Amino acid sequence: MLNLDQIDRDSDQSPYRQIASTLRDRILAGNEGYQQGDKIPSEAALIEHFGVARMTVRQAINELRGEGLIVSEHGRGVFVRLAPPVRRLASDRFARRHRDAGKAAFLAEADASGYKPEVDRIDVRRGPAPKAVAERLGLANEAEVVIRARRYLANGRPVETAVSYIPGELAAGTAIEQADTGPGGLYARLEETGHILDRFTEEVGARMPVAEERQSLGISPGTPVLTVLRTAYDTKGMAVEVCDTVKVAPAYLLQYDFPAR
Amino acid sequence: MLNLDQIDRDSDQSPYRQIASTLRDRILAGNEGYQQGDKIPSEAALIEHFGVARMTVRQAINELRGEGLIVSEHGRGVFVRLAPPVRRLASDRFARRHRDAGKAAFLAEADASGYKPEVDRIDVRRGPAPKAVAERLGLANEAEVVIRARRYLANGRPVETAVSYIPGELAAGTAIEQADTGPGGLYARLEETGHILDRFTEEVGARMPVAEERQSLGISPGTPVLTVLRTAYDTKGMAVEVCDTVKVAPAYLLQYDFPAR
DNA sequence: GAGTGGTCTAGACCACCAC
DNA sequence: TGGTGGTCTAGACCACTCC
């Protein structure tokens, strides 16, 4: 007894779509339906209930996977996806008051939102600036920059990867070239070089992740990513950093304020 | 002769993944591979070339569709996806100088970017405010608002749907309740009621579209959407409009500037 | 009508997981 | 060991597009 409607063979809609709709309705029904993390009926049970071939049931499940509603676990079952905790990023997240408290933006925000922050896979090296970065930094193509890559986790789950590019001359001999940038983070070190931060520009987009990103962010097919390319400018209007981030989309809500001017 | 590598049956990787990789490499190869809009080999040709069953080829194709690399057209073939023209939205896109020129934001921007703008499916009615909207407008739950829905097209392709909510009292008796809001658009009419716009807040996220959104935006599976919830405030700090937009992600790049404060 | 992708059937073997 | 999903085979009929 699955307590699901039967499909209508005379309908215009194909059986697999009807099955997908039936399951989708249950997932979206909230309290009366399947809950987050619930196991949905096995393929065998659905085949029996709807009286269709296995591929038909799998096609319905595929549909829902593509919508990001469910995740399959080999040998265990298919489960309603857990919504990750949402990180709400306001445009004052780089405000100086956070740096003054000795905290980098990610840590300050974790404090406020109450999740456990971690940063891992820190990799610092020097190399040529990619084209898009060189453009924004106002450097010659392939000019040498310090490249800082890292991954952010909230409550143990990867939520974002970030790669910062800092002009080589600017970073020379500072903690920017160390894995640990010290209290206040990268921006605090930048300001110590005399480049006081004045404003940021962020370019926001969204797309499907490539396989490598799916891997490093631990996300299943059907989950998009938000891309944010941030450029930091000092009070003289010079671009001092470009930061290229890839965020697990369902885990983020970005908030920006701007004047109507 | 397809000029594609054969699959390795002894490999760890399953045949369908190998086939997907082979095709993906070709698509991403740029000038030497399949170009945007090119037809990739038919299922029959791939079956013959790789010596596999049809479902195996279809699974490979499904994989690439999920990555947003290709689109299938029933009866015609499978094609490398065309990247839509990117609309780059800067945070001054609602600047008063555009309204002063008698143009709504979308039209002003089309002028600058050189695409043909259209607005269709305009629907204006009164109704209760959804919870998220009532919160942001500072209204009681289900308070009456004017609801303006419309769809935007660039060069004939749908790129965005938008639904504006304006407090019922504010819109009463103005062109805000007409399908055509007149020169300068909705914001110009709002200011005529004495509510001079001061600032906006935008909340940006990304997710997979539901079937209905896929339909109205004409997008294929595997394409995410950007969601932007904008709240407009007047000089007294009163929220005068909430606009809920859903944008075809690959068609957009949102740009925001904010101070380091 | 020929070629294309969309859907469905009815099996098979395998890898992973929990007991 | 039994149940789960992952992959593959070898067919079938259909709907759509183009000539």
Side-chain angles (χ1 to χ4, degrees):
Chain A
M1 284 315 89
L2 284 189
N3 194 18
L4 292 171
D5 287 343
Q6 292 297 329
I7 60 175
D8 171 9
R9 290 273 171 183
D10 297 330
S11 163
D12 301 342
Q13 247 201 345
S14 54
Y16 90 86
R17 282 182 192 279
Q18 292 183 52
I19 295 172
S21 292
T22 301
L23 293 172
R24 186 189 300 109
D25 290 346
R26 274 314 178 88
I27 292 168
L28 299 178
N31 289 340
E32 281 92 52
Y34 303 131
Q35 310 287 313
Q36 280 190 21
D38 278 6
K39 188 172 169 305
I40 70 172
S42 72
E43 292 181 359
L46 293 171
I47 288 165
E48 156 122 47
H49 177 81
F50 292 110
V52 296
R54 187 171 173 211
M55 285 309 296
T56 306
V57 160
R58 283 182 64 78
Q59 202 164 357
I61 289 173
N62 253 318
E63 187 88 349
L64 299 179
R65 208 201 334 276
E67 294 171 16
L69 293 175
I70 56 177
V71 291
S72 301
E73 295 186 32
H74 195 171
R76 300 219 315 129
V78 178
F79 301 84
V80 178
R81 169 166 301 182
L82 299 163
V86 172
R87 296 183 58 208
R88 204 185 170 89
L89 301 189
S91 52
D92 70 350
R93 65 190 183 281
F94 299 112
R96 187 160 293 111
R97 61 175 177 280
H98 297 313
R99 290 199 296 284
D100 289 347
K103 293 202 169 79
F106 183 68
L107 301 180
E109 182 220 330
D111 265 9
S113 306
Y115 57 83
K116 188 166 70 70
E118 280 174 89
V119 185
D120 72 351
R121 299 198 186 171
I122 299 178
D123 176 48
V124 184
R125 61 183 207 282
R126 282 180 170 258
K131 186 157 168 291
V133 171
E135 268 173 25
R136 284 166 181 75
L137 286 176
L139 297 177
N141 217 345
E142 310 234 325
E144 194 180 69
V145 289
V146 171
I147 303 173
R148 298 186 54 89
R150 68 275 190 194
R151 186 173 74 155
Y152 293 105
L153 301 89
N155 291 335
R157 296 175 61 164
V159 290
E160 170 177 344
T161 60
V163 184
S164 282
Y165 302 87
I166 304 99
E169 297 175 13
L170 239 165
T174 72
I176 294 171
E177 295 192 280
Q178 310 300 318
D180 182 359
T181 51
L186 168 60
Y187 290 154
R189 295 297 85 69
L190 266 176
E191 297 210 320
E192 286 167 5
T193 68
H195 294 272
I196 305 300
L197 295 181
D198 182 47
R199 63 184 182 88
F200 299 96
T201 291
E202 290 195 339
E203 297 164 71
V204 182
R207 57 175 170 78
M208 296 313 286
V210 299
E212 191 192 342
E213 292 167 330
R214 282 222 308 266
Q215 167 116 50
S216 67
L217 290 172
I219 53 185
S220 37
T223 302
V225 292
L226 273 163
T227 59
V228 178
L229 190 66
R230 179 175 58 252
T231 307
Y233 297 90
D234 71 9
T235 49
K236 298 199 180 79
M238 173 185 173
V240 294
E241 184 225 24
V242 167
C243 184
D244 187 1
T245 72
V246 177
K247 303 169 200 287
V248 178
Y252 281 86
L253 204 57
L254 310 175
Q255 183 177 320
Y256 298 96
D257 292 279
F258 53 96
R261 242 170 263 174
Chain B
M1 288 312 90
L2 284 190
N3 194 18
L4 293 170
D5 287 344
Q6 292 297 327
I7 61 175
D8 171 8
R9 302 233 69 134
D10 298 331
S11 163
D12 303 341
Q13 250 202 342
S14 54
Y16 89 85
R17 283 181 191 280
Q18 293 183 51
I19 295 172
S21 293
T22 301
L23 292 173
R24 185 189 301 109
D25 290 347
R26 274 317 179 85
I27 292 168
L28 300 178
N31 289 340
E32 280 92 51
Y34 303 131
Q35 310 287 313
Q36 278 191 23
D38 277 7
K39 189 172 170 303
I40 70 171
S42 72
E43 292 180 0
L46 294 170
I47 288 164
E48 155 124 44
H49 178 81
F50 292 110
V52 295
R54 186 169 173 213
M55 285 309 295
T56 306
V57 160
R58 283 182 65 79
Q59 203 164 356
I61 289 174
N62 254 318
E63 187 87 350
L64 300 179
R65 208 202 332 277
E67 294 170 18
L69 293 176
I70 56 177
V71 291
S72 300
E73 296 186 33
H74 194 172
R76 301 218 315 128
V78 177
F79 302 83
V80 178
R81 169 167 303 184
L82 299 163
V86 172
R87 297 183 57 208
R88 204 186 171 89
L89 301 189
S91 51
D92 71 348
R93 64 189 183 280
F94 300 113
R96 186 159 294 110
R97 62 177 177 279
H98 296 314
R99 290 199 296 285
D100 289 347
K103 293 204 170 79
F106 183 68
L107 302 179
E109 182 221 329
D111 265 9
S113 305
Y115 57 83
K116 188 167 71 71
E118 282 174 89
V119 185
D120 72 353
R121 299 196 187 172
I122 299 178
D123 176 50
V124 185
R125 61 182 207 282
R126 280 179 171 261
K131 186 157 169 290
V133 171
E135 267 173 26
R136 285 166 181 77
L137 286 176
L139 297 177
N141 215 346
E142 310 234 325
E144 194 181 68
V145 290
V146 171
I147 303 173
R148 297 186 53 89
R150 65 277 189 195
R151 186 173 72 157
Y152 293 104
L153 301 91
N155 290 338
R157 295 176 60 166
V159 290
E160 171 178 344
T161 60
V163 184
S164 283
Y165 302 86
I166 303 100
E169 297 175 13
L170 238 166
T174 72
I176 293 171
E177 296 192 281
Q178 309 301 317
D180 182 359
T181 52
L186 169 60
Y187 289 154
R189 294 298 84 69
L190 267 175
E191 297 210 318
E192 287 168 5
T193 69
H195 294 271
I196 305 300
L197 295 181
D198 183 46
R199 64 185 181 88
F200 299 95
T201 292
E202 290 195 338
E203 297 163 71
V204 182
R207 57 175 170 77
M208 297 311 287
V210 299
E212 191 192 343
E213 291 167 330
R214 283 222 310 266
Q215 167 117 50
S216 67
L217 290 172
I219 52 185
S220 36
T223 302
V225 292
L226 273 163
T227 59
V228 178
L229 190 65
R230 179 176 58 252
T231 307
Y233 297 90
D234 70 10
T235 49
K236 299 199 179 79
M238 172 186 174
V240 293
E241 184 225 22
V242 168
C243 184
D244 186 359
T245 70
V246 177
K247 303 170 200 287
V248 177
Y252 281 86
L253 204 58
L254 309 176
Q255 182 178 321
Y256 298 96
D257 291 279
F258 52 97
R261 247 171 256 175

